[in-house]
Amino acid sequence: MRTGDYKQSYGELVALIDSPPVWLWSAVLLLALIAAPYLLNSYALSFLMIILITVTGALGLNILTGYTGLISLGHVGFLVTGAYAYAVLVSKYHMPPLVGFLGAGVVPALASLIVGAPSLRLKGLYLAITTLAFSFIINTVILEMRWLTNGARGIQVQRPEILGISFDSDAAFTYLCLAFAALTLFATLNIRRSRVGRAFVAIRDNDTAARVMGINLHAYKLFAFVTSAFITGIAGALYGIYLSFVSVEGFPFLLSIEALAILIVGGLGSALGAVLGTILIVLLPEATRLVFSLFSAQMDATFATGAQELKSMLYGLVIILFLRFQPRGLVGAWHDIKRTWVHWPLRY
Amino acid sequence: MQYLLQLLISGLAIGAIYGLIAMGFAVIYKSTGLVNFAQGEMTMITAYIAWTISTTVSGNVFVVATGAILAAILLGLIIERLVMRPMLGEPVFATVMVTIGLAVILRSAINFIWDAYPHGLDIGMGRGIMHLGGIGVRTGQIAVIATLLLLLAAIWAFFRYSKVGVAMRAVAADDRTALLMGISATKVHALAWAASSVIAGIGGVFFALSYDLSPAMFQLGLKAFPATILGGLDAVLGSGLGGLLIGITENLAGGYVGSGVKEVAGFAMIIVVLMVRPFGIFGERDIERV
């Protein structure tokens, strides 16, 4: 029985999905997600919205960090650029929302060329720090360009109406997020199996070797930056609409860390990993709160007063524990379980 | 002219603090090959501990200084032993992400243990104002510049002449060969973490003396990044000097252009520098083989 990713032919390597049952599971999941807005209460629905928006952003970062191996600590910069591009176009200049979403993708993509170009010569940690610098510079630029962005006051954003369909209600907006998340998932899976995606992975694994094989490092690195920023920008626009208010404070630096945490916890370089990681990281604070409240009312009170601190402490702890004990993330754990299930009681 | 000199001197003072923290980065990078993203948080914890000592035990300068240094050593050793040592041999990305996780934990722990309000660290000195040729300077600002210069000299001598310093350079250059030569890499790493924690902690305490203690202090770590990148991650002395450069640049940009620009002047500067020299001004170029 097949138990792992054993690719035996070239066709298998570029297949969208490994095995037929996955299509079935995906269809079931999609149906469940379509039914969800009618079944969930508004509290649970807000988590679903956040998960779908975060998945979109995490998949965007996954192209850059997971596939191409370029560490970005400044992805919140693209997120906030996307949100502002949408807010300025739609709220300020009254463009149709579709144009807004397009702008939310294109503007960060252009910005990524600015940060991507100097990054071509940089590697590893130097690159991480340049992207970090970029996200701080973006924040300052936004605060200084008051005529366009209202500076620190931020911009109010309405839920959009696209092609005559209003996405004003939570359920409708969830569908919009679902559409974007599904589209992004499909797109990134396709990028991964295409010529471009395999070039990305080659660069990640050994860039000098990839170059010897005839891969144009500069072009592909820039392309990774642009695609990643495009997707992240759209996630930023969705997040801005979800918050119904776009401001620099709405996009704290911690989001960059959170995004990397999602990739690590899920499994770096895997689209499935980005999805699983998102679900875990988004639901982690809520799950912890539930566990705490089970224990005692007093612990619940501690959690309520120091909730923000405990929440971020958990992020840190989860990142460290995963890197220490399961560096391949949830996807790696899933592969291990599958293998154990088939081979038990043998170890291999 | 007066204005320019004033900007230069306060730039040097804040730059010396950046320089100290940047040296903390460089010491760890030089001996373990990783960037410690929790440096700002470690700086901050030492400053908070110094403040706690000064308010609860004694405000005496020597008591506070000794306590803070001991606490910083302990902090560095604990982090190395509990968090970093198990990650030995893992890829750089993983170990660096661990320090990011650590930074997040420490930052929230500070808010959790102490409070979110600013405090002044008062040990009876450092806040007095001296007049140098008509320019008012705080004694603390003079002291931090002097401390940075002294430490630079001491560290240069340490890496150049002491056996331990040479061992640290050996581990950084090639840890396997160093191991074969009988150098204990774990001891060197522990020493590096303790030393880095102390050097950065001194910067933190001086910052608290001249300005204020607040939960936003972890940003000092981010501000010191440009300094250490400018100097070169593997250049301890270069990082100290890079700090002075960044401090002056920031202050001049803030004084003549605008306060928004002041915040990012350092970051803009490193992007420019890295485009020209991707390994910093004083850093060494890596040679890679496939």
Side-chain angles (χ1 to χ4, degrees):
Chain A
M1 187 195 280
R2 284 167 56 97
T3 54
D5 299 328
Y6 306 126
K7 315 281 193 211
Q8 287 166 338
S9 70
Y10 196 71
E12 283 173 14
L13 193 67
V14 296
L16 185 60
I17 276 171
D18 289 338
S19 63
V22 177
W23 283 112
L24 184 69
W25 284 118
S26 309
V28 171
L29 183 68
L30 193 67
L31 284 178
L33 282 173
I34 289 172
Y38 295 103
L39 303 175
L40 298 175
N41 59 19
S42 60
Y43 184 63
L45 197 59
S46 71
F47 277 105
L48 182 60
M49 271 188 269
I50 278 291
I51 286 178
L52 290 170
I53 296 171
T54 315
V55 160
T56 314
L59 286 169
L61 179 62
N62 192 37
I63 290 181
L64 192 68
T65 302
Y67 291 169
T68 325
L70 304 169
I71 306 169
S72 168
L73 283 172
H75 245 58
V76 71
F78 299 129
L79 211 60
V80 75
T81 321
Y84 263 100
Y86 180 87
V88 167
L89 283 171
V90 175
S91 294
K92 229 171 163 161
Y93 294 107
H94 306 292
M95 300 274 192
L98 275 181
V99 177
F101 278 116
L102 189 68
V106 171
V107 176
L110 290 178
S112 81
L113 284 177
I114 300 172
V115 62
S119 308
L120 292 177
R121 294 188 63 195
L122 304 176
K123 277 189 183 163
L125 298 172
Y126 284 102
L127 175 67
I129 290 162
T130 318
T131 52
L132 178 97
F134 164 75
S135 80
F136 284 100
I137 291 175
I138 277 287
N139 272 2
T140 308
V141 169
I142 287 172
L143 287 177
E144 292 289 310
M145 286 167 71
R146 286 183 201 89
W147 53 274
L148 189 68
T149 61
N150 295 357
R153 277 187 292 134
I155 303 177
Q156 202 85 31
V157 186
Q158 306 293 326
R159 295 265 171 96
E161 190 187 308
I162 299 173
L163 305 174
I165 308 163
S166 166
F167 290 97
D168 200 30
S169 72
D170 277 358
F173 186 60
T174 311
Y175 283 135
L176 187 67
C177 297
L178 177 63
F180 273 111
L183 205 65
T184 312
L185 183 63
F186 198 63
T188 50
L189 282 174
N190 272 304
I191 289 178
R192 172 67 186 84
R193 66 182 179 143
S194 71
R195 178 189 170 85
V196 178
R198 280 176 285 122
F200 285 166
V201 174
I203 293 174
R204 176 190 71 192
D205 290 345
N206 190 330
D207 57 347
T208 318
R211 193 173 192 173
V212 173
M213 302 286 280
I215 291 170
N216 183 342
L217 285 191
H218 289 187
Y220 278 104
K221 279 185 181 176
L222 272 187
F223 189 68
F225 259 106
V226 169
T227 3
S228 174
F230 189 93
I231 295 174
T232 311
I234 286 179
L238 287 174
Y239 191 55
I241 297 169
Y242 170 78
L243 294 175
S244 75
F245 187 72
V246 175
S247 70
V248 171
E249 279 84 42
F251 295 81
F253 174 62
L254 192 66
L255 286 183
S256 279
I257 308 287
E258 205 178 311
L260 278 176
I262 284 171
L263 294 192
I264 289 170
V265 164
L268 208 56
S270 146
L272 175 65
V275 177
L276 292 178
T278 305
I279 295 172
L280 182 75
I281 291 281
V282 171
L283 295 183
L284 186 69
E286 186 61 16
T288 330
R289 197 182 64 81
L290 283 177
V291 172
F292 271 52
S293 63
L294 282 182
F295 277 118
S296 69
Q298 197 250 326
M299 270 174 95
D300 197 31
T302 318
F303 196 83
T305 50
Q308 199 54 41
E309 274 74 47
L310 279 175
K311 187 181 150 188
S312 32
M313 266 199 249
L314 269 177
Y315 281 135
L317 202 64
V318 166
I319 297 178
I320 293 181
L321 290 180
F322 261 95
L323 283 166
R324 173 79 185 81
F325 296 107
Q326 185 53 268
R328 290 181 302 136
L330 290 171
V331 168
W334 171 239
H335 283 298
D336 288 348
I337 291 170
K338 274 205 292 193
R339 194 171 300 124
T340 315
W341 176 256
V342 172
H343 289 288
W344 194 85
L346 302 170
R347 288 192 69 187
Y348 292 104
Chain B
M1 193 60 199
Q2 198 81 343
Y3 184 54
L4 177 70
L5 278 179
Q6 184 76 55
L7 285 179
L8 279 180
I9 292 199
S10 49
L12 274 178
I14 186 77
I17 292 170
Y18 295 158
L20 286 169
I21 300 168
M23 276 159 72
F25 278 115
V27 165
I28 286 184
Y29 187 85
K30 198 166 176 66
S31 45
T32 63
L34 62 95
V35 174
N36 173 23
F37 277 91
Q39 198 77 54
E41 283 74 8
M42 289 168 67
T43 306
M44 192 172 155
I45 287 194
T46 310
Y48 266 92
I49 290 175
W51 174 70
T52 310
I53 294 173
S54 78
T55 50
T56 54
V57 184
S58 151
N60 185 299
V61 186
F62 295 104
V63 176
V64 173
T66 318
I69 288 177
L70 286 179
I73 292 177
L74 200 65
L75 178 71
L77 289 179
I78 290 175
I79 289 175
E80 197 277 332
R81 185 70 193 83
L82 288 186
V83 187
M84 301 318 295
R85 196 173 296 178
M87 298 301 294
L88 262 183
E90 299 281 334
V92 176
F93 175 66
T95 34
V96 169
M97 279 309 296
V98 165
T99 68
I100 290 181
L102 184 69
V104 175
I105 293 181
L106 291 181
R107 192 181 311 161
S108 340
I110 287 167
N111 282 336
F112 205 63
I113 299 170
W114 287 282
D115 50 25
Y117 306 104
H119 300 284
L121 175 62
D122 185 15
I123 53 171
M125 58 197 303
R127 298 228 169 191
I129 291 180
M130 274 167 65
H131 288 279
L132 288 178
I135 301 160
V137 187
R138 283 190 176 168
T139 44
Q141 293 182 313
I142 307 263
V144 66
I145 298 172
T147 311
L148 176 74
L149 295 178
L150 272 178
L151 264 175
L152 280 176
I155 285 181
W156 175 78
F158 174 75
F159 276 116
R160 182 79 176 70
Y161 295 113
S162 86
K163 214 170 166 181
V164 187
V166 175
M168 285 174 88
R169 273 163 57 200
V171 170
D174 187 343
D175 50 354
R176 277 183 212 174
T177 318
L179 280 172
L180 286 173
M181 293 296 177
I183 296 170
S184 162
T186 48
K187 268 188 197 155
V188 165
H189 285 187
L191 180 68
W193 275 87
S196 151
S197 171
V198 170
I199 297 171
I202 292 173
V205 172
F206 270 115
F207 183 84
L209 266 182
S210 312
Y211 308 92
D212 259 338
L213 205 60
S214 79
M217 250 179 86
F218 70 88
Q219 285 172 351
L220 274 181
L222 298 177
K223 290 290 197 105
F225 264 133
T228 188
I229 294 291
L230 199 65
L233 274 172
D234 52 356
V236 180
L237 303 181
S239 301
L241 298 176
L244 293 179
L245 262 177
I246 293 279
I248 292 173
T249 316
E250 251 191 32
N251 249 25
L252 290 182
Y256 289 111
V257 188
S259 60
V261 182
K262 182 181 179 180
E263 298 298 312
V264 293
F267 287 122
M269 198 165 157
I270 55 166
I271 291 188
V272 173
V273 168
L274 287 180
M275 279 168 85
V276 184
R277 280 179 69 89
F279 36 86
I281 295 178
F282 303 101
E284 279 169 37
R285 185 193 288 269
D286 277 351
I287 297 169
E288 271 187 61
R289 293 186 187 86
V290 179

